[in-house]
PDB file of all heavy atoms in Angstrom:
ATOM      1  N   SER A  22       0.884  -1.509   7.048  1.00  0.00           N
ATOM      2  CA  SER A  22       1.316  -1.708   5.655  1.00  0.00           C
ATOM      3  C   SER A  22       0.953  -0.512   4.779  1.00  0.00           C
ATOM      4  O   SER A  22       1.646  -0.225   3.801  1.00  0.00           O
ATOM      5  CB  SER A  22       0.724  -2.993   5.075  1.00  0.00           C
ATOM      6  OG  SER A  22      -0.681  -2.905   4.967  1.00  0.00           O
ATOM      7  N   ILE A  23      -0.103   0.198   5.123  1.00  0.00           N
ATOM      8  CA  ILE A  23      -0.507   1.387   4.363  1.00  0.00           C
ATOM      9  C   ILE A  23       0.340   2.583   4.793  1.00  0.00           C
ATOM     10  O   ILE A  23       0.762   3.382   3.959  1.00  0.00           O
ATOM     11  CB  ILE A  23      -2.018   1.673   4.529  1.00  0.00           C
ATOM     12  CG1 ILE A  23      -2.854   0.460   4.100  1.00  0.00           C
ATOM     13  CG2 ILE A  23      -2.418   2.931   3.778  1.00  0.00           C
ATOM     14  CD1 ILE A  23      -2.600  -0.059   2.696  1.00  0.00           C
ATOM     15  N   LEU A  24       0.632   2.673   6.076  1.00  0.00           N
ATOM     16  CA  LEU A  24       1.476   3.766   6.564  1.00  0.00           C
ATOM     17  C   LEU A  24       2.866   3.718   5.926  1.00  0.00           C
ATOM     18  O   LEU A  24       3.477   4.755   5.680  1.00  0.00           O
ATOM     19  CB  LEU A  24       1.593   3.715   8.089  1.00  0.00           C
ATOM     20  CG  LEU A  24       0.320   4.077   8.857  1.00  0.00           C
ATOM     21  CD1 LEU A  24       0.489   3.806  10.347  1.00  0.00           C
ATOM     22  CD2 LEU A  24      -0.057   5.528   8.611  1.00  0.00           C
ATOM     23  N   LYS A  25       3.356   2.515   5.602  1.00  0.00           N
ATOM     24  CA  LYS A  25       4.670   2.376   4.956  1.00  0.00           C
ATOM     25  C   LYS A  25       4.688   2.980   3.557  1.00  0.00           C
ATOM     26  O   LYS A  25       5.744   3.312   3.032  1.00  0.00           O
ATOM     27  CB  LYS A  25       5.058   0.893   4.849  1.00  0.00           C
ATOM     28  CG  LYS A  25       5.604   0.322   6.119  1.00  0.00           C
ATOM     29  CD  LYS A  25       6.142  -1.091   6.010  1.00  0.00           C
ATOM     30  CE  LYS A  25       5.959  -1.811   4.715  1.00  0.00           C
ATOM     31  NZ  LYS A  25       6.369  -3.210   4.730  1.00  0.00           N
ATOM     32  N   LEU A  26       3.530   3.109   2.935  1.00  0.00           N
ATOM     33  CA  LEU A  26       3.446   3.642   1.573  1.00  0.00           C
ATOM     34  C   LEU A  26       3.590   5.166   1.521  1.00  0.00           C
ATOM     35  O   LEU A  26       3.818   5.730   0.467  1.00  0.00           O
ATOM     36  CB  LEU A  26       2.114   3.251   0.920  1.00  0.00           C
ATOM     37  CG  LEU A  26       1.852   1.760   0.743  1.00  0.00           C
ATOM     38  CD1 LEU A  26       0.440   1.541   0.239  1.00  0.00           C
ATOM     39  CD2 LEU A  26       2.874   1.142  -0.191  1.00  0.00           C
ATOM     40  N   ARG A  27       3.423   5.800   2.660  1.00  0.00           N
ATOM     41  CA  ARG A  27       3.488   7.266   2.684  1.00  0.00           C
ATOM     42  C   ARG A  27       4.869   7.763   2.256  1.00  0.00           C
ATOM     43  O   ARG A  27       5.872   7.139   2.534  1.00  0.00           O
ATOM     44  CB  ARG A  27       3.171   7.789   4.083  1.00  0.00           C
ATOM     45  CG  ARG A  27       1.733   7.606   4.486  1.00  0.00           C
ATOM     46  CD  ARG A  27       1.462   8.249   5.832  1.00  0.00           C
ATOM     47  NE  ARG A  27       1.701   9.674   5.807  1.00  0.00           N
ATOM     48  CZ  ARG A  27       0.785  10.602   5.542  1.00  0.00           C
ATOM     49  NH1 ARG A  27      -0.428  10.244   5.275  1.00  0.00           N
ATOM     50  NH2 ARG A  27       1.093  11.878   5.552  1.00  0.00           N
ATOM     51  N   HIS A  28       4.875   8.895   1.571  1.00  0.00           N
ATOM     52  CA  HIS A  28       6.131   9.557   1.233  1.00  0.00           C
ATOM     53  C   HIS A  28       6.126  10.922   1.895  1.00  0.00           C
ATOM     54  O   HIS A  28       5.129  11.350   2.477  1.00  0.00           O
ATOM     55  CB  HIS A  28       6.343   9.628  -0.289  1.00  0.00           C
ATOM     56  CG  HIS A  28       5.193  10.213  -1.042  1.00  0.00           C
ATOM     57  ND1 HIS A  28       4.994  11.557  -1.163  1.00  0.00           N
ATOM     58  CD2 HIS A  28       4.172   9.616  -1.703  1.00  0.00           C
ATOM     59  CE1 HIS A  28       3.902  11.786  -1.870  1.00  0.00           C
ATOM     60  NE2 HIS A  28       3.382  10.622  -2.212  1.00  0.00           N
ATOM     61  N   ASP A  29       7.245  11.614   1.835  1.00  0.00           N
ATOM     62  CA  ASP A  29       7.407  12.871   2.568  1.00  0.00           C
ATOM     63  C   ASP A  29       6.400  13.948   2.175  1.00  0.00           C
ATOM     64  O   ASP A  29       6.115  14.846   2.958  1.00  0.00           O
ATOM     65  CB  ASP A  29       8.832  13.410   2.392  1.00  0.00           C
ATOM     66  CG  ASP A  29       9.882  12.496   3.013  1.00  0.00           C
ATOM     67  OD1 ASP A  29       9.500  11.506   3.663  1.00  0.00           O
ATOM     68  OD2 ASP A  29      11.080  12.770   2.832  1.00  0.00           O
ATOM     69  N   CYS A  30       5.870  13.883   0.969  1.00  0.00           N
ATOM     70  CA  CYS A  30       4.913  14.893   0.506  1.00  0.00           C
ATOM     71  C   CYS A  30       3.475  14.379   0.518  1.00  0.00           C
ATOM     72  O   CYS A  30       2.586  15.002  -0.069  1.00  0.00           O
ATOM     73  CB  CYS A  30       5.281  15.352  -0.897  1.00  0.00           C
ATOM     74  SG  CYS A  30       6.912  16.117  -0.963  1.00  0.00           S
ATOM     75  N   SER A  31       3.236  13.233   1.162  1.00  0.00           N
ATOM     76  CA  SER A  31       1.878  12.679   1.211  1.00  0.00           C
ATOM     77  C   SER A  31       0.944  13.655   1.912  1.00  0.00           C
ATOM     78  O   SER A  31       1.298  14.217   2.958  1.00  0.00           O
ATOM     79  CB  SER A  31       1.847  11.363   1.993  1.00  0.00           C
ATOM     80  OG  SER A  31       2.501  10.341   1.315  1.00  0.00           O
ATOM     81  N   PRO A  32      -0.240  13.837   1.361  1.00  0.00           N
ATOM     82  CA  PRO A  32      -1.220  14.670   2.064  1.00  0.00           C
ATOM     83  C   PRO A  32      -1.731  13.924   3.290  1.00  0.00           C
ATOM     84  O   PRO A  32      -1.532  12.715   3.422  1.00  0.00           O
ATOM     85  CB  PRO A  32      -2.328  14.838   1.023  1.00  0.00           C
ATOM     86  CG  PRO A  32      -2.180  13.678   0.109  1.00  0.00           C
ATOM     87  CD  PRO A  32      -0.727  13.305   0.112  1.00  0.00           C
ATOM     88  N   ASP A  33      -2.355  14.651   4.192  1.00  0.00           N
ATOM     89  CA  ASP A  33      -2.959  14.001   5.347  1.00  0.00           C
ATOM     90  C   ASP A  33      -4.021  13.025   4.862  1.00  0.00           C
ATOM     91  O   ASP A  33      -4.751  13.301   3.907  1.00  0.00           O
ATOM     92  CB  ASP A  33      -3.586  15.034   6.280  1.00  0.00           C
ATOM     93  CG  ASP A  33      -2.530  15.870   6.991  1.00  0.00           C
ATOM     94  OD1 ASP A  33      -1.393  15.374   7.156  1.00  0.00           O
ATOM     95  OD2 ASP A  33      -2.839  17.014   7.359  1.00  0.00           O
TER      96      ASP A  33
END
Side-chain angles (χ1 to χ4, degrees):
S22 66
I23 303 305
L24 290 172
K25 280 187 354 186
L26 298 173
R27 290 185 61 92
H28 52 82
D29 295 355
C30 299
S31 291
D33 290 334

